[in-house]
């Protein structure tokens, strides 16, 4: 690796750890601003809002509890990477460039929501709507009674906190989850390798959602994770989480029997490059199973660094590479990290499809 690139990666990693570290201070300062404004209200108004004031301490306690879990997540996290030379606390605190922005702190809060979606009983309904169609299709394509499941290689790009890949591996398939986000990688490493019992931790994932609450307790609703013990259920299965950019990590042609993408393909600057890579790495006869919307994560940027074709055009691209559609369902209702108690409920009408790389496909040009 280029020394400059290595140094950049080190600094990026340090900043992520430092962002986790700053969750408590940022959250308490945010709460304090609300409390200060409350104290500036007329006395008569404050008297009417006595229950609202009482909730400040509840929120403060929840922040402390979340931070306690976060400290466990980032403890010894430098062991995930070689030669990072971090300080005792895992980060070079003297580097002022590492001071996180509010948007970066929000990523920690998003990670807590992801823990709820992927690893709690409360998230089961939501994740089943997204994951079960994919899992059932894998079981249909590669039935355990007709093949050695351990010889079937399944790749899950954009694996997040790893639950979909974990569930596929539990069925006996060889499954790799690939993830780029350091926030997700650090947290999934903790859940998969350091959680040793069900419902080991309590978090409060909705603390930043101060709007659309029917009850004050909905903002401070507790969630326990993990809902299963990963260490008990993964003893004999081949399961790995791989860090890195999907387009850079996966270049070996005809390596995978199945690529399963869930809420992933719209994470690309250029969605065509994702489709091209999926086609390239699938074995002849291999299947691509996809479920998700087309949110296009880079579409709101100020620079023209993203294309956002409609599904109609995306389908033309898929066919253009040579894929054959076997299944297509438009309008699968799915939610993503949604607070179930909120007055505002959002969902996607996602697309579910199954495509096959033809058996007679030949080696292709690949950039």
């Amino acid at each position: 690796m280029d020394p400059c690139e290595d140094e950049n990666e080190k600094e990026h990693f340090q900043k992520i750890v430092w962002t986790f570290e700053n969750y408590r201070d940022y959250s308490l300062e945010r709460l304090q601003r609300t409390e200060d404004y409350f104290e500036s209200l007329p006395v008569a108004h404050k008297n009417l809002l006595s229950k609202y004031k009482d909730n400040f301490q509840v929120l403060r306690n929840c922040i402390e509890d979340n931070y306690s879990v976060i400290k466990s997540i980032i403890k010894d996290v430098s062991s995930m990477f070689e030669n990072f030379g971090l300080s005792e606390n895992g980060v070079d605190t003297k580097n002022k460039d590492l001071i996180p922005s509010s948007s970066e702190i929000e990523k920690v809060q998003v990670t807590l929501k992801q823990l709820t979606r992927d690893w709690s009983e409360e998230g089961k309904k939501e994740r089943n709507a997204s994951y079960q169609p994919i899992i059932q299709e894998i079981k249909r394509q590669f039935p355990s009674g007709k093949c050695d499941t351990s010889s079937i290689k399944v790749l899950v790009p954009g694996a997040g906190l790893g639950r979909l890949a974990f569930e596929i591996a539990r069925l006996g398939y060889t499954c790799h989850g690939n993830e780029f986000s350091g926030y997700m990688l650090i947290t999934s490493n903790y859940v998969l390798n350091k959680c040793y019992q069900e419902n080991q931790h309590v978090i409060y994932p909705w603390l930043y959602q101060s709007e659309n609450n029917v009850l004050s307790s909905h903002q401070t609703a507790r969630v326990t994770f993990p809902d299963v013990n990963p260490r008990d259920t993964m003893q004999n299965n081949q399961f790995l989480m791989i860090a890195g950019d999907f387009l850079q990590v996966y270049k070996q042609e005809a390596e995978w029997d199945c690529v399963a993408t869930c809420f992933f393909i719209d994470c690309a600057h250029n969605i065509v490059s994702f489709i091209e890579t999926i086609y390239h790495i699938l074995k002849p006869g291999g299947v691509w199973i996809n479920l998700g919307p087309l949110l296009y994560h880079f579409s709101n940027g100020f620079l023209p660094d993203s294309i956002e074709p409609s599904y109609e055009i995306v389908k033309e691209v898929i066919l253009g590479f040579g894929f054959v559609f076997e299944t297509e369902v438009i309008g699968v209702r799915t939610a993503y990290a949604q607070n179930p108690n909120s007055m505002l409920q959002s969902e996607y009408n996602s697309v579910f499809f199954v495509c096959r790389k033809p058996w007679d496909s030949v080696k292709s040009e690949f950039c």
Side-chain angles (χ1 to χ4, degrees), residues 158-177:
L161 295 186
R163 185 61 181 264
L164 175 58
F166 169 85
E167 292 295 342
I168 294 168
R170 285 178 81 182
L171 295 171
Y173 301 99
T174 295
C175 188
H176 290 189

Side-chain angles (χ1 to χ4, degrees), residues 210-229:
S210 56
E211 72 282 1
N212 289 314
N213 291 307
V214 177
L215 304 175
S216 298
S217 59
H218 289 165
Q219 186 179 3
T220 55
R222 72 194 300 271
V223 168
T224 58
F225 79 92
D227 61 321
V228 295
N229 184 347

Side-chain angles (χ1 to χ4, degrees), residues 105-123:
I105 295 288
E106 290 283 350
K107 293 178 182 178
V108 178
Q109 183 65 20
V110 167
T111 303
L112 297 179
K113 293 181 182 179
Q114 285 286 115
L115 278 169
T116 302
R117 172 180 168 85
D118 261 21
W119 292 102
S120 77
E121 182 64 28
E122 287 82 355

Side-chain angles (χ1 to χ4, degrees), residues 4 16 18 23 68 71 87 113-114 121 154 165 202 217-218 223 229 247 266 272 294 326 342 349 355:
C4 292
I16 290 171
W18 190 228
Y23 168 84
S68 178
K71 286 193 294 184
S87 68
K113 293 181 182 179
Q114 285 286 115
E121 182 64 28
V154 182
V202 174
S217 59
H218 289 165
V223 168
N229 184 347
L247 297 176
D266 56 357
V272 179
L294 291 175
E326 294 188 349
S342 175
N349 288 320
C355 295

Side-chain angles (χ1 to χ4, degrees), residues 2 10 25 56 114 205 216 258 340 364:
D2 183 275
K10 174 181 177 180
D25 290 346
F56 290 146
Q114 285 286 115
S216 298
C258 176
S364 58

Side-chain angles (χ1 to χ4, degrees), residues 39-88:
E39 292 298 337
S40 73
L41 298 178
V43 173
H45 293 186
K46 289 192 290 186
N47 289 340
L48 292 168
L49 289 166
S50 59
K51 289 185 178 179
Y52 182 74
K53 181 179 180 179
D54 292 342
N55 203 47
F56 290 146
Q57 187 57 48
V58 177
L59 289 166
R60 192 170 285 107
N61 292 340
C62 292
I63 291 168
E64 295 289 354
D65 288 346
N66 279 353
Y67 184 58
S68 178
V69 174
I70 287 169
K71 286 193 294 184
S72 296
I73 290 172
I74 62 176
K75 182 181 179 182
D76 303 323
V77 73
S78 59
S79 63
M80 289 176 61
F81 303 91
E82 295 182 358
N83 303 319
F84 263 45
L86 302 180
S87 68
E88 264 185 43

Side-chain angles (χ1 to χ4, degrees), residues 252-316:
Q252 178 64 47
E253 186 170 12
E255 182 178 4
W256 299 91
D257 298 285
C258 176
V259 175
T261 53
C262 185
F263 281 75
F264 172 69
I265 60 173
D266 56 357
C267 296
H269 292 274
N270 174 11
I271 193 172
V272 179
S273 63
F274 273 14
I275 299 168
E276 179 183 37
T277 298
I278 291 169
Y279 188 87
H280 182 77
I281 67 177
L282 275 173
K283 297 176 182 178
V287 293
W288 173 21
I289 306 169
N290 175 79
L291 188 147
L294 291 175
L295 181 60
Y296 290 122
H297 292 220
F298 299 100
S299 62
N300 294 321
F302 293 103
L303 298 175
D305 57 357
S306 174
I307 58 170
E308 301 90 27
S310 67
Y311 175 67
E312 174 189 29
I313 297 173
V314 170
K315 184 176 179 180
E316 290 178 357

